[in-house]
Amino acid sequence: MSVTTPQEPRRSERAGARPADPVERHPVSRCAVVASSFGNFVEWFDYSVYGFFATVIAGAFFPSENETASLMASFAAFGLTFAARPLGAFVFGHFGDRFGRRTALAVSVLMMGFASLAIGLLPSFGAIGLWAPVLLVAARLTQGFSAGGEAGGSSSYLAESAPPGKRGLYTSWQQFTIVLGLLAGSGSGVLLSTVLSEDALQSWGWRLPFLLGGLMAVIGLYLRLNLDDTPAFRELADEGEVDGAPLLSIFRTHWRTLLKAVGFFVSTSVTNYTLFVYMPSYANTELGVPMSRALLSNSIALGLVVCLIPLVGILSDRLGRRPLLLFFNGSLALATYPLFLLVSAGTFPTLVAAQLVFAVLASFGFGAGTALYTEMFPTRVRYTGIGVSLGVSAAIFGGSAPFISTWLVSATGDQIAPAFYLIAAALISFVAVYLIAETYRSPLRKK
């Protein structure tokens, strides 16, 4: 896929106009941006399907007379794999910042597809005993490792491909395709739970999305292998300014930025995995909502988020990132408890109503967030910085959210207990965003 380098028209000298960064004068083609985003979609479809089928997987790989214990074991396997994300960020970040974004992104989507295919083909506990959960965890660790390489690469690619004044819109495509992948995973759950009997779904039906995800990864690999690297990285390489040890530089020179980024990611990670991955299982097991209805509600909410994310990205190019993200975290902290009260009514209409409000709030965090954290790090260490900060935050807070939420309900007997974890996450990120400087009018830094 070729790189286009159109000559940007000269900007007027009107008051308030800012000079364009040389890198930003040469955006890659829109086709390349779509191709990189499709790979992102494939990875997150594969990654999220596990969460949507957690209750079925619990019975297949972690059978127990205690359904809560079985579900917690399934979510523990979900959360454990997040420990591999920082390691993936270290490895992919080094190669992405050292040798370019393209190859690292191609390898990450290939690994994700292989792991997804493996999960779809694994024998259950009844067939091979303890080897079943062991192999499942191994496949999930592979997914976690590859996901650690995805976040920094895809967001760096989009930010470095954006024309002047449109980084918010371009980078919102990362979250757009993530949520679109979640929506596709949730939609597959709705479809399968509707057209298949419960026995068929539990015996073989749940495997179909994993197999499909493995096949889609082949398309993602093809598209990414045909990408060219970003103008920002190529310019850095031409000038001989590529960092030979980006991981060392992150901890030695940019550690304050890294800490702020980790704090920023807390609420978006917990929001993602609590409201859009854990929620269907929560509604089904704790509130008695049929799984097909719970997944349908989830799909409706995700559909709204998909529609709103690009609009929020555009808005962040006009108003800045910080005001929208402060609104997201503040509103989330205030609205979560009453919305969980609404969810706890246990009816389909109340579940849909609550999730739609959550969807509106989440769109502010997802739509404006990617632009902010890509602008926080310079090009020399951007892939590594984003990957490590997101990987650490997701490993500690996000990936553990379904397990912690399930444990909170079991330990307290309070169906609304997961709300307190989400509120705490929102408050942490509110402080982090407050401490981060506004960057939407500034060119991307090189080093």
Side-chain angles (χ1 to χ4, degrees):
M1 192 169 293
S2 61
V3 177
T4 60
T5 55
Q7 181 67 39
E8 281 284 293
R10 182 179 180 86
R11 285 190 154 194
S12 67
E13 300 298 326
R14 66 185 183 280
R18 57 183 174 86
D21 181 76
V23 169
E24 294 181 301
R25 287 185 178 272
H26 305 284
V28 298
S29 67
R30 292 181 181 179
C31 183
V33 173
V34 172
S36 65
S37 300
F38 180 79
N40 204 44
F41 163 81
V42 171
E43 294 222 19
W44 283 95
F45 173 82
D46 291 348
Y47 203 61
S48 65
V49 161
Y50 183 99
F52 295 131
F53 288 93
T55 54
V56 179
I57 292 172
F61 291 91
F62 305 98
S64 171
E65 294 182 1
N66 186 326
E67 290 186 6
T68 300
S70 180
L71 183 60
M72 286 182 66
S74 181
F75 278 135
F78 181 84
L80 178 64
T81 60
F82 281 76
R85 289 189 67 159
L87 179 59
F90 295 159
V91 175
F92 281 102
H94 172 81
F95 284 98
D97 281 328
R98 183 75 180 85
F99 302 107
R101 290 43 169 133
R102 169 186 172 272
T103 302
L105 283 171
V107 174
S108 71
V109 75
L110 178 63
M111 289 184 65
M112 179 66 75
F114 173 79
S116 179
L117 195 63
I119 293 175
L121 296 173
L122 277 180
S124 66
F125 185 92
I128 60 174
L130 287 175
W131 278 108
V134 170
L135 292 173
L136 176 67
V137 170
R140 288 289 300 158
L141 285 171
T142 302
Q143 285 188 320
F145 183 85
S146 65
E150 172 65 22
S154 60
S155 55
S156 294
Y157 195 97
L158 290 168
E160 294 166 6
S161 302
K166 293 187 178 180
R167 279 201 303 268
L169 172 61
Y170 268 56
T171 57
S172 70
W173 273 87
Q174 190 216 28
Q175 292 296 327
F176 176 88
T177 50
I178 285 175
V179 178
L180 195 62
L182 291 171
L183 176 59
S186 183
S188 69
V190 173
L191 177 64
L192 292 174
S193 60
T194 301
V195 302
L196 296 180
S197 66
E198 185 174 347
D199 289 341
L201 183 65
Q202 294 188 3
S203 62
W204 57 269
W206 65 269
R207 299 177 182 274
L208 297 179
F210 290 99
L211 299 176
L212 176 62
L215 295 176
M216 286 195 300
V218 177
I219 301 174
L221 176 64
Y222 171 79
L223 291 173
R224 285 187 167 178
L225 286 176
N226 281 278
L227 289 175
D228 290 303
D229 239 310
T230 66
F233 180 81
R234 287 186 285 109
E235 182 172 317
L236 201 67
D238 291 343
E239 295 173 356
E241 295 291 339
V242 172
D243 197 317
L247 185 59
L248 180 62
S249 296
I250 277 290
F251 288 104
R252 184 175 58 190
T253 308
H254 303 282
W255 61 271
R256 290 184 179 85
T257 303
L258 190 68
L259 289 177
K260 292 176 185 178
V262 170
F264 162 79
F265 280 123
V266 172
S267 64
T268 52
S269 294
V270 174
T271 294
N272 192 13
Y273 292 107
T274 299
L275 300 181
F276 303 119
V277 176
Y278 167 69
M279 186 63 80
S281 296
Y282 168 79
N284 176 243
T285 58
E286 302 297 338
L287 306 177
V289 178
M291 180 56 78
S292 60
R293 290 272 180 133
L295 286 169
L296 177 59
S297 175
N298 203 57
S299 298
I300 294 171
L302 287 169
L304 179 60
V305 177
V306 165
C307 294
L308 293 177
I309 281 177
L311 300 179
V312 175
I314 294 171
L315 192 62
S316 76
D317 284 328
R318 304 291 187 269
L319 303 179
R321 327 302 186 197
R322 290 178 74 251
L324 304 183
L325 293 167
L326 289 172
F327 169 79
F328 159 64
N329 287 296
S331 300
L332 190 65
L334 293 173
T336 291
Y337 186 79
L339 288 175
F340 262 84
L341 280 176
L342 186 61
V343 170
S344 68
T347 68
F348 179 68
T350 57
L351 179 62
V352 172
Q355 284 200 280
L356 286 177
V357 178
F358 274 131
V360 173
L361 298 181
S363 66
F364 281 87
F366 297 163
T370 307
L372 180 71
Y373 63 71
T374 53
E375 293 164 351
M376 291 173 65
F377 295 98
T379 302
R380 291 188 72 189
V381 295
R382 183 169 294 120
Y383 199 135
T384 302
I386 295 170
V388 170
S389 53
L390 177 56
V392 169
S393 185
I396 298 174
F397 301 101
S400 61
F403 176 83
I404 290 175
S405 297
T406 304
W407 176 82
L408 284 172
V409 174
S410 178
T412 64
D414 184 1
Q415 293 178 329
I416 306 176
F420 298 110
Y421 186 58
L422 188 55
I423 291 170
L427 292 175
I428 291 171
S429 293
F430 185 92
V431 174
V433 172
Y434 183 80
L435 296 174
I436 296 172
E438 181 62 80
T439 51
Y440 82 110
R441 290 188 180 276
S442 304
L444 291 175
R445 293 182 294 140
K446 291 183 182 180
K447 56 184 178 178

